[in-house]
Amino acid sequence: VQLQASGGGLVQAGGSLRLSCAASGRTFSSYVMGWFRQTPGNEREFVAAISTSGGRIYYADSVKGRFTISRDNAKNTLYVQMNSLKPEDTAIYYCAAGSGISYSARPWAYWGQGTQVTVSS
């Protein structure tokens, strides 16, 4: 599966953005999906993940209550709605597809190219 992330940009603290991740192929619905983020010099950090049907959702504590992950299997697209953004949310955001949910980046099999999110104070 090939993934293409989009929707990043510059936003003021307290603002909102919605990231999208479009997947190619007809097997999108068979993958668990996730969002990770990375800042310079740091490892890729788990943000959120969603099961194949959307019935199970997981969030990092740092984004819980502010971010909402969702998927539309008919459109082969993953989303994350990010509200109440903080400067510490600034990072490159990556979408990922895999066979099982993991808080570590290593087990995820497929990655999008990343989209930059910058939150100004």
Side-chain angles (χ1 to χ4, degrees):
V1 63
Q2 291 184 320
L3 305 175
Q4 179 80 27
S6 62
L10 173 63
V11 63
Q12 289 188 329
S16 298
L17 281 174
R18 187 175 83 154
L19 305 184
S20 299
C21 175
S24 64
R26 295 176 289 177
T27 59
F28 175 76
S29 61
S30 67
Y31 291 102
V32 298
M33 299 296 297
W35 288 99
F36 285 75
R37 64 189 182 188
Q38 190 170 23
T39 53
N42 293 307
E43 293 188 353
R44 212 161 281 192
E45 174 192 26
F46 173 82
V47 173
I50 187 167
S51 63
T52 54
S53 66
R56 291 179 293 131
I57 288 175
Y58 307 84
Y59 294 103
D61 287 343
S62 58
V63 307
K64 202 172 293 183
R66 300 187 297 121
F67 289 15
T68 303
I69 189 172
S70 62
R71 66 190 296 163
D72 186 334
N73 286 342
K75 295 182 178 179
N76 284 3
T77 305
L78 172 74
Y79 305 97
V80 63
Q81 176 68 43
M82 305 187 297
N83 298 328
S84 302
L85 283 161
K86 305 175 181 180
E88 51 264 43
D89 295 317
T90 295
I92 299 175
Y93 283 71
Y94 297 90
C95 55
S99 58
I101 290 177
S102 172
Y103 294 122
S104 172
R106 190 180 299 271
W108 293 82
Y110 303 99
W111 292 88
Q113 87 289 1
T115 184
Q116 176 72 49
V117 171
T118 303
V119 184
S120 62
S121 57

